[in-house]
Amino acid sequence: MFARIRRLLSQFFSKSRTINNEPLNKVSLIVIILIDIFILINVFTGLDDISRWYLSPNMAYPCYSEWQDYRTKTTKDKDYEIVRLSFPNNPKYQLSFQQNYQQVEAGHLGKVSKTCLQYADYKDKINNPEKQQIVKTIDQKQAKISRLEEDDRTIKAQYDSTLLEKIAGQDRQQSINQVSAEKAKQALEQNNRQISTLKQENYTLKNELLTKPESISFIAFLKDDNQFREVDKGYQKALFWYPSIQLGFQCLFLLPLILIALSVHKFAQGRGYGLISLISWHLLVIFFIPLIIKIFEFLQIGAIFKFIFDIISVIFVGLLFLINYVYILLIPIIGFGIIQLFQKFVFNAKLQAASRVQKSCCVNCAKKIRHLDTYCPHCGYYQYIECQNCHNLTYKHLSYCKHCGTSQASSNL
């Protein structure tokens, strides 16, 4: 196996830097590498674009995150907080929530969840001038509460200091604080009364907002277990299949490029077009690199990973590190499969030799030679090997002797 890998690597580097078995000069090699980098960047850009073509789970279920947060919260103001999200910061230039949800469908495959569109419709009904004014008033009062609490912290710090000065009998003229202990205490009490009043007013306004028919309907919708269960099930299903869908579209982008590059490469090799053969070979490698990377990424986050994760979670509870053992075994198997693929279809000397012999070409460089030429006049390669059975000369790399038909498998190793 290691000998095969070494031979494969040797053939790979030989094909990557030679034209008709002649090495590239440094300038040409630099130009080829620059072209490779440019094409590789564009391939990855195209892969990124096509992977976003299908709606992601967060785009298909835009209400899920917000709804999930609401259901897991335990704060007493969670109803107001979710209703408050129905009011955008800049309402003049804001599309409705339904329009925002639906516009992501433009230029993408897939549809936004109907339940999420219903969710958006409830939010749009809440967002009207009357309720906007209530929220604006609440925000103003809350801002005033925050200022008063900040003032309280400043006054309290000074109050503690002036109280110590008073206990120590220090002269008021020598104090470093702006107010006396008595005035500081009065200011604190006054601010606390204002804060208490403002909080009570805000509490009343929040209740007023939450008792509006639109708010009541929205909260009832949020608390409907069946509605949320439907969204949650759809979101989890989309989350499970999305990496597989992305890989499918990425393969759809790469496979035509790989097939075209492979066809051009085989055609150029058969006709002896050295430069075209080299460039098409580089393109073939460039198109395979992102495909291999994306497959390995999929193995880490896709449906296969989820399947293995679930099995190990059930059988070996808590021993999730065993997933790494599975990958340690799985990745080399996949790598071996890729090597076998290249060996069978790309670097298969027997297939290449058979085609070249039929066309009266050198079995090594694929250039035209005469029928009786023992050595290739272009690359100097010896074309024949002695048959182990009849001891006549037969073509290298072909499976059977052309004189007696005996298998040449051991001779061609």
mmCIF file of all heavy atoms in Angstrom, residues 184-219:
data_model
loop_
_atom_site.group_PDB
_atom_site.id
_atom_site.type_symbol
_atom_site.label_atom_id
_atom_site.label_comp_id
_atom_site.label_asym_id
_atom_site.label_seq_id
_atom_site.Cartn_x
_atom_site.Cartn_y
_atom_site.Cartn_z
ATOM 1 N N ALA A 184 -27.787 65.247 51.881
ATOM 2 C CA ALA A 184 -27.610 64.027 51.099
ATOM 3 C C ALA A 184 -28.709 63.027 51.422
ATOM 4 O O ALA A 184 -29.269 62.368 50.528
ATOM 5 C CB ALA A 184 -26.238 63.414 51.373
ATOM 6 N N LYS A 185 -29.047 62.923 52.716
ATOM 7 C CA LYS A 185 -30.097 61.992 53.120
ATOM 8 C C LYS A 185 -31.452 62.408 52.551
ATOM 9 O O LYS A 185 -32.229 61.579 52.073
ATOM 10 C CB LYS A 185 -30.165 61.938 54.640
ATOM 11 C CG LYS A 185 -31.142 60.896 55.169
ATOM 12 C CD LYS A 185 -31.140 60.853 56.680
ATOM 13 C CE LYS A 185 -32.127 59.817 57.201
ATOM 14 N NZ LYS A 185 -32.165 59.779 58.667
ATOM 15 N N GLN A 186 -31.710 63.711 52.559
ATOM 16 C CA GLN A 186 -32.969 64.220 52.007
ATOM 17 C C GLN A 186 -33.059 63.953 50.498
ATOM 18 O O GLN A 186 -34.113 63.559 49.986
ATOM 19 C CB GLN A 186 -33.085 65.720 52.282
ATOM 20 C CG GLN A 186 -33.301 66.061 53.755
ATOM 21 C CD GLN A 186 -33.267 67.559 54.006
ATOM 22 O OE1 GLN A 186 -33.114 68.353 53.072
ATOM 23 N NE2 GLN A 186 -33.408 67.955 55.269
ATOM 24 N N ALA A 187 -31.922 64.200 49.801
ATOM 25 C CA ALA A 187 -31.901 63.966 48.347
ATOM 26 C C ALA A 187 -32.135 62.504 48.026
ATOM 27 O O ALA A 187 -32.850 62.163 47.076
ATOM 28 C CB ALA A 187 -30.561 64.436 47.768
ATOM 29 N N LEU A 188 -31.528 61.614 48.806
ATOM 30 C CA LEU A 188 -31.726 60.181 48.594
ATOM 31 C C LEU A 188 -33.186 59.788 48.782
ATOM 32 O O LEU A 188 -33.747 59.031 47.975
ATOM 33 C CB LEU A 188 -30.847 59.386 49.568
ATOM 34 C CG LEU A 188 -29.357 59.217 49.215
ATOM 35 C CD1 LEU A 188 -28.612 58.570 50.365
ATOM 36 C CD2 LEU A 188 -29.207 58.381 47.955
ATOM 37 N N GLU A 189 -33.792 60.274 49.832
ATOM 38 C CA GLU A 189 -35.189 59.943 50.101
ATOM 39 C C GLU A 189 -36.098 60.459 48.986
ATOM 40 O O GLU A 189 -37.037 59.777 48.559
ATOM 41 C CB GLU A 189 -35.607 60.512 51.450
ATOM 42 C CG GLU A 189 -34.931 59.807 52.640
ATOM 43 C CD GLU A 189 -35.234 60.492 53.965
ATOM 44 O OE1 GLU A 189 -35.815 61.604 53.929
ATOM 45 O OE2 GLU A 189 -34.886 59.917 55.019
ATOM 46 N N GLN A 190 -35.806 61.701 48.519
ATOM 47 C CA GLN A 190 -36.626 62.298 47.461
ATOM 48 C C GLN A 190 -36.489 61.491 46.153
ATOM 49 O O GLN A 190 -37.494 61.210 45.482
ATOM 50 C CB GLN A 190 -36.196 63.746 47.224
ATOM 51 C CG GLN A 190 -37.060 64.472 46.187
ATOM 52 C CD GLN A 190 -36.622 65.917 46.003
ATOM 53 O OE1 GLN A 190 -35.746 66.405 46.716
ATOM 54 N NE2 GLN A 190 -37.220 66.595 45.054
ATOM 55 N N ASN A 191 -35.259 61.139 45.823
ATOM 56 C CA ASN A 191 -35.038 60.357 44.605
ATOM 57 C C ASN A 191 -35.704 58.989 44.683
ATOM 58 O O ASN A 191 -36.285 58.503 43.702
ATOM 59 C CB ASN A 191 -33.539 60.171 44.363
ATOM 60 C CG ASN A 191 -32.877 61.435 43.828
ATOM 61 O OD1 ASN A 191 -33.555 62.399 43.492
ATOM 62 N ND2 ASN A 191 -31.553 61.424 43.754
ATOM 63 N N ASN A 192 -35.626 58.367 45.853
ATOM 64 C CA ASN A 192 -36.239 57.045 46.017
ATOM 65 C C ASN A 192 -37.755 57.107 45.859
ATOM 66 O O ASN A 192 -38.376 56.188 45.323
ATOM 67 C CB ASN A 192 -35.867 56.450 47.371
ATOM 68 C CG ASN A 192 -34.416 56.004 47.438
ATOM 69 O OD1 ASN A 192 -33.815 55.721 46.411
ATOM 70 N ND2 ASN A 192 -33.848 55.969 48.635
ATOM 71 N N ARG A 193 -38.336 58.203 46.352
ATOM 72 C CA ARG A 193 -39.789 58.376 46.185
ATOM 73 C C ARG A 193 -40.133 58.521 44.699
ATOM 74 O O ARG A 193 -41.110 57.935 44.221
ATOM 75 C CB ARG A 193 -40.272 59.588 46.978
ATOM 76 C CG ARG A 193 -40.380 59.345 48.485
ATOM 77 C CD ARG A 193 -41.185 60.437 49.159
ATOM 78 N NE ARG A 193 -40.525 61.739 49.057
ATOM 79 C CZ ARG A 193 -39.642 62.223 49.936
ATOM 80 N NH1 ARG A 193 -39.300 61.488 50.988
ATOM 81 N NH2 ARG A 193 -39.091 63.407 49.767
ATOM 82 N N GLN A 194 -39.328 59.319 43.973
ATOM 83 C CA GLN A 194 -39.575 59.502 42.533
ATOM 84 C C GLN A 194 -39.416 58.178 41.776
ATOM 85 O O GLN A 194 -40.213 57.849 40.895
ATOM 86 C CB GLN A 194 -38.607 60.535 41.958
ATOM 87 C CG GLN A 194 -38.902 61.969 42.384
ATOM 88 C CD GLN A 194 -38.000 62.956 41.658
ATOM 89 O OE1 GLN A 194 -37.918 62.944 40.448
ATOM 90 N NE2 GLN A 194 -37.335 63.811 42.411
ATOM 91 N N ILE A 195 -38.375 57.432 42.148
ATOM 92 C CA ILE A 195 -38.141 56.141 41.489
ATOM 93 C C ILE A 195 -39.309 55.206 41.731
ATOM 94 O O ILE A 195 -39.791 54.519 40.814
ATOM 95 C CB ILE A 195 -36.820 55.513 41.992
ATOM 96 C CG1 ILE A 195 -35.621 56.307 41.471
ATOM 97 C CG2 ILE A 195 -36.720 54.048 41.579
ATOM 98 C CD1 ILE A 195 -34.296 55.903 42.088
ATOM 99 N N SER A 196 -39.798 55.166 42.962
ATOM 100 C CA SER A 196 -40.925 54.298 43.302
ATOM 101 C C SER A 196 -42.168 54.679 42.505
ATOM 102 O O SER A 196 -42.886 53.817 41.992
ATOM 103 C CB SER A 196 -41.198 54.378 44.803
ATOM 104 O OG SER A 196 -42.293 53.579 45.147
ATOM 105 N N THR A 197 -42.400 56.003 42.388
ATOM 106 C CA THR A 197 -43.560 56.495 41.634
ATOM 107 C C THR A 197 -43.446 56.131 40.155
ATOM 108 O O THR A 197 -44.408 55.658 39.540
ATOM 109 C CB THR A 197 -43.680 58.024 41.791
ATOM 110 O OG1 THR A 197 -43.812 58.353 43.171
ATOM 111 C CG2 THR A 197 -44.888 58.545 41.030
ATOM 112 N N LEU A 198 -42.255 56.359 39.584
ATOM 113 C CA LEU A 198 -42.045 56.060 38.164
ATOM 114 C C LEU A 198 -42.180 54.571 37.883
ATOM 115 O O LEU A 198 -42.748 54.172 36.858
ATOM 116 C CB LEU A 198 -40.656 56.551 37.731
ATOM 117 C CG LEU A 198 -40.479 58.079 37.656
ATOM 118 C CD1 LEU A 198 -39.010 58.445 37.487
ATOM 119 C CD2 LEU A 198 -41.299 58.647 36.490
ATOM 120 N N LYS A 199 -41.676 53.745 38.790
ATOM 121 C CA LYS A 199 -41.800 52.296 38.601
ATOM 122 C C LYS A 199 -43.259 51.859 38.644
ATOM 123 O O LYS A 199 -43.671 50.983 37.875
ATOM 124 C CB LYS A 199 -40.989 51.551 39.662
ATOM 125 C CG LYS A 199 -39.488 51.562 39.410
ATOM 126 C CD LYS A 199 -38.742 50.739 40.452
ATOM 127 C CE LYS A 199 -37.253 50.662 40.130
ATOM 128 N NZ LYS A 199 -36.486 49.872 41.122
ATOM 129 N N GLN A 200 -44.024 52.471 39.540
ATOM 130 C CA GLN A 200 -45.434 52.142 39.624
ATOM 131 C C GLN A 200 -46.170 52.573 38.351
ATOM 132 O O GLN A 200 -47.024 51.849 37.826
ATOM 133 C CB GLN A 200 -46.064 52.832 40.849
ATOM 134 C CG GLN A 200 -47.526 52.484 41.085
ATOM 135 C CD GLN A 200 -47.757 50.998 41.292
ATOM 136 O OE1 GLN A 200 -46.988 50.332 41.989
ATOM 137 N NE2 GLN A 200 -48.801 50.460 40.657
ATOM 138 N N GLU A 201 -45.802 53.758 37.834
ATOM 139 C CA GLU A 201 -46.412 54.246 36.591
ATOM 140 C C GLU A 201 -46.065 53.320 35.425
ATOM 141 O O GLU A 201 -46.913 53.016 34.574
ATOM 142 C CB GLU A 201 -45.950 55.671 36.298
ATOM 143 C CG GLU A 201 -46.519 56.703 37.272
ATOM 144 C CD GLU A 201 -45.907 58.085 37.074
ATOM 145 O OE1 GLU A 201 -44.979 58.214 36.234
ATOM 146 O OE2 GLU A 201 -46.368 59.040 37.749
ATOM 147 N N ASN A 202 -44.802 52.882 35.389
ATOM 148 C CA ASN A 202 -44.394 51.956 34.324
ATOM 149 C C ASN A 202 -45.118 50.623 34.438
ATOM 150 O O ASN A 202 -45.495 50.016 33.427
ATOM 151 C CB ASN A 202 -42.875 51.728 34.377
ATOM 152 C CG ASN A 202 -42.125 52.661 33.430
ATOM 153 O OD1 ASN A 202 -42.740 53.456 32.721
ATOM 154 N ND2 ASN A 202 -40.812 52.545 33.402
ATOM 155 N N TYR A 203 -45.294 50.160 35.649
ATOM 156 C CA TYR A 203 -46.012 48.910 35.873
ATOM 157 C C TYR A 203 -47.433 49.013 35.322
ATOM 158 O O TYR A 203 -47.938 48.090 34.665
ATOM 159 C CB TYR A 203 -46.025 48.588 37.367
ATOM 160 C CG TYR A 203 -46.798 47.346 37.721
ATOM 161 C CD1 TYR A 203 -46.265 46.080 37.515
ATOM 162 C CD2 TYR A 203 -48.090 47.446 38.263
ATOM 163 C CE1 TYR A 203 -46.984 44.935 37.845
ATOM 164 C CE2 TYR A 203 -48.821 46.307 38.587
ATOM 165 C CZ TYR A 203 -48.254 45.054 38.378
ATOM 166 O OH TYR A 203 -48.980 43.926 38.690
ATOM 167 N N THR A 204 -48.078 50.159 35.585
ATOM 168 C CA THR A 204 -49.440 50.384 35.090
ATOM 169 C C THR A 204 -49.473 50.425 33.564
ATOM 170 O O THR A 204 -50.350 49.833 32.928
ATOM 171 C CB THR A 204 -49.992 51.706 35.651
ATOM 172 O OG1 THR A 204 -49.944 51.677 37.095
ATOM 173 C CG2 THR A 204 -51.425 51.925 35.205
ATOM 174 N N LEU A 205 -48.492 51.136 32.965
ATOM 175 C CA LEU A 205 -48.434 51.236 31.504
ATOM 176 C C LEU A 205 -48.171 49.875 30.858
ATOM 177 O O LEU A 205 -48.739 49.550 29.816
ATOM 178 C CB LEU A 205 -47.345 52.232 31.091
ATOM 179 C CG LEU A 205 -47.646 53.711 31.360
ATOM 180 C CD1 LEU A 205 -46.407 54.561 31.127
ATOM 181 C CD2 LEU A 205 -48.786 54.198 30.453
ATOM 182 N N LYS A 206 -47.294 49.077 31.464
ATOM 183 C CA LYS A 206 -47.010 47.741 30.926
ATOM 184 C C LYS A 206 -48.257 46.867 30.970
ATOM 185 O O LYS A 206 -48.555 46.138 30.004
ATOM 186 C CB LYS A 206 -45.875 47.078 31.705
ATOM 187 C CG LYS A 206 -44.505 47.673 31.430
ATOM 188 C CD LYS A 206 -43.426 47.021 32.297
ATOM 189 C CE LYS A 206 -42.065 47.650 32.045
ATOM 190 N NZ LYS A 206 -41.002 47.057 32.892
ATOM 191 N N ASN A 207 -48.976 46.946 32.080
ATOM 192 C CA ASN A 207 -50.223 46.177 32.170
ATOM 193 C C ASN A 207 -51.236 46.650 31.139
ATOM 194 O O ASN A 207 -51.971 45.838 30.560
ATOM 195 C CB ASN A 207 -50.821 46.309 33.573
ATOM 196 C CG ASN A 207 -50.135 45.394 34.572
ATOM 197 O OD1 ASN A 207 -49.503 44.422 34.174
ATOM 198 N ND2 ASN A 207 -50.242 45.698 35.859
ATOM 199 N N GLU A 208 -51.265 47.979 30.925
ATOM 200 C CA GLU A 208 -52.181 48.524 29.921
ATOM 201 C C GLU A 208 -51.841 47.972 28.539
ATOM 202 O O GLU A 208 -52.735 47.605 27.760
ATOM 203 C CB GLU A 208 -52.072 50.051 29.909
ATOM 204 C CG GLU A 208 -53.010 50.719 28.903
ATOM 205 C CD GLU A 208 -52.831 52.228 28.850
ATOM 206 O OE1 GLU A 208 -52.164 52.791 29.749
ATOM 207 O OE2 GLU A 208 -53.333 52.845 27.891
ATOM 208 N N LEU A 209 -50.541 47.910 28.237
ATOM 209 C CA LEU A 209 -50.105 47.382 26.940
ATOM 210 C C LEU A 209 -50.440 45.898 26.810
ATOM 211 O O LEU A 209 -50.912 45.437 25.761
ATOM 212 C CB LEU A 209 -48.591 47.599 26.777
ATOM 213 C CG LEU A 209 -47.951 47.090 25.481
ATOM 214 C CD1 LEU A 209 -48.507 47.836 24.272
ATOM 215 C CD2 LEU A 209 -46.436 47.240 25.541
ATOM 216 N N LEU A 210 -50.216 45.145 27.885
ATOM 217 C CA LEU A 210 -50.423 43.694 27.833
ATOM 218 C C LEU A 210 -51.891 43.303 27.832
ATOM 219 O O LEU A 210 -52.225 42.175 27.464
ATOM 220 C CB LEU A 210 -49.710 43.023 29.014
ATOM 221 C CG LEU A 210 -48.184 43.085 28.991
ATOM 222 C CD1 LEU A 210 -47.600 42.495 30.266
ATOM 223 C CD2 LEU A 210 -47.624 42.353 27.775
ATOM 224 N N THR A 211 -52.756 44.221 28.240
ATOM 225 C CA THR A 211 -54.194 43.901 28.264
ATOM 226 C C THR A 211 -54.900 44.317 26.966
ATOM 227 O O THR A 211 -56.112 44.121 26.846
ATOM 228 C CB THR A 211 -54.884 44.593 29.460
ATOM 229 O OG1 THR A 211 -54.578 45.992 29.445
ATOM 230 C CG2 THR A 211 -54.420 43.985 30.775
ATOM 231 N N LYS A 212 -54.152 44.872 26.029
ATOM 232 C CA LYS A 212 -54.735 45.172 24.718
ATOM 233 C C LYS A 212 -55.076 43.848 24.021
ATOM 234 O O LYS A 212 -54.352 42.848 24.158
ATOM 235 C CB LYS A 212 -53.758 45.969 23.856
ATOM 236 C CG LYS A 212 -53.393 47.346 24.412
ATOM 237 C CD LYS A 212 -54.575 48.289 24.351
ATOM 238 C CE LYS A 212 -54.178 49.698 24.831
ATOM 239 N NZ LYS A 212 -55.344 50.600 24.845
ATOM 240 N N PRO A 213 -56.156 43.820 23.252
ATOM 241 C CA PRO A 213 -56.568 42.560 22.598
ATOM 242 C C PRO A 213 -55.463 41.934 21.735
ATOM 243 O O PRO A 213 -55.296 40.713 21.726
ATOM 244 C CB PRO A 213 -57.768 42.986 21.738
ATOM 245 C CG PRO A 213 -58.301 44.219 22.402
ATOM 246 C CD PRO A 213 -57.125 44.921 23.009
ATOM 247 N N GLU A 214 -54.707 42.778 21.007
ATOM 248 C CA GLU A 214 -53.650 42.246 20.138
ATOM 249 C C GLU A 214 -52.542 41.577 20.955
ATOM 250 O O GLU A 214 -52.010 40.526 20.567
ATOM 251 C CB GLU A 214 -53.043 43.369 19.275
ATOM 252 C CG GLU A 214 -54.015 44.022 18.314
ATOM 253 C CD GLU A 214 -54.824 45.152 18.947
ATOM 254 O OE1 GLU A 214 -54.675 45.361 20.181
ATOM 255 O OE2 GLU A 214 -55.583 45.813 18.220
ATOM 256 N N SER A 215 -52.205 42.195 22.101
ATOM 257 C CA SER A 215 -51.170 41.615 22.963
ATOM 258 C C SER A 215 -51.643 40.308 23.583
ATOM 259 O O SER A 215 -50.880 39.338 23.670
ATOM 260 C CB SER A 215 -50.784 42.607 24.066
ATOM 261 O OG SER A 215 -50.284 43.804 23.530
ATOM 262 N N ILE A 216 -52.901 40.282 24.010
ATOM 263 C CA ILE A 216 -53.460 39.065 24.608
ATOM 264 C C ILE A 216 -53.429 37.914 23.602
ATOM 265 O O ILE A 216 -53.034 36.777 23.927
ATOM 266 C CB ILE A 216 -54.899 39.313 25.110
ATOM 267 C CG1 ILE A 216 -54.884 40.286 26.302
ATOM 268 C CG2 ILE A 216 -55.569 38.008 25.499
ATOM 269 C CD1 ILE A 216 -56.256 40.752 26.727
ATOM 270 N N SER A 217 -53.809 38.210 22.344
ATOM 271 C CA SER A 217 -53.813 37.176 21.300
ATOM 272 C C SER A 217 -52.387 36.679 21.027
ATOM 273 O O SER A 217 -52.154 35.469 20.854
ATOM 274 C CB SER A 217 -54.414 37.740 20.009
ATOM 275 O OG SER A 217 -55.748 38.141 20.221
ATOM 276 N N PHE A 218 -51.432 37.602 21.008
ATOM 277 C CA PHE A 218 -50.038 37.241 20.748
ATOM 278 C C PHE A 218 -49.477 36.355 21.859
ATOM 279 O O PHE A 218 -48.834 35.328 21.605
ATOM 280 C CB PHE A 218 -49.210 38.518 20.593
ATOM 281 C CG PHE A 218 -47.762 38.278 20.259
ATOM 282 C CD1 PHE A 218 -47.387 37.339 19.310
ATOM 283 C CD2 PHE A 218 -46.759 38.991 20.897
ATOM 284 C CE1 PHE A 218 -46.059 37.122 18.992
ATOM 285 C CE2 PHE A 218 -45.422 38.787 20.591
ATOM 286 C CZ PHE A 218 -45.073 37.846 19.637
ATOM 287 N N ILE A 219 -49.734 36.740 23.110
ATOM 288 C CA ILE A 219 -49.232 35.954 24.247
ATOM 289 C C ILE A 219 -49.869 34.565 24.265
ATOM 290 O O ILE A 219 -49.199 33.559 24.530
ATOM 291 C CB ILE A 219 -49.519 36.683 25.573
ATOM 292 C CG1 ILE A 219 -48.794 38.047 25.627
ATOM 293 C CG2 ILE A 219 -49.104 35.822 26.759
ATOM 294 C CD1 ILE A 219 -47.294 37.948 25.554
#
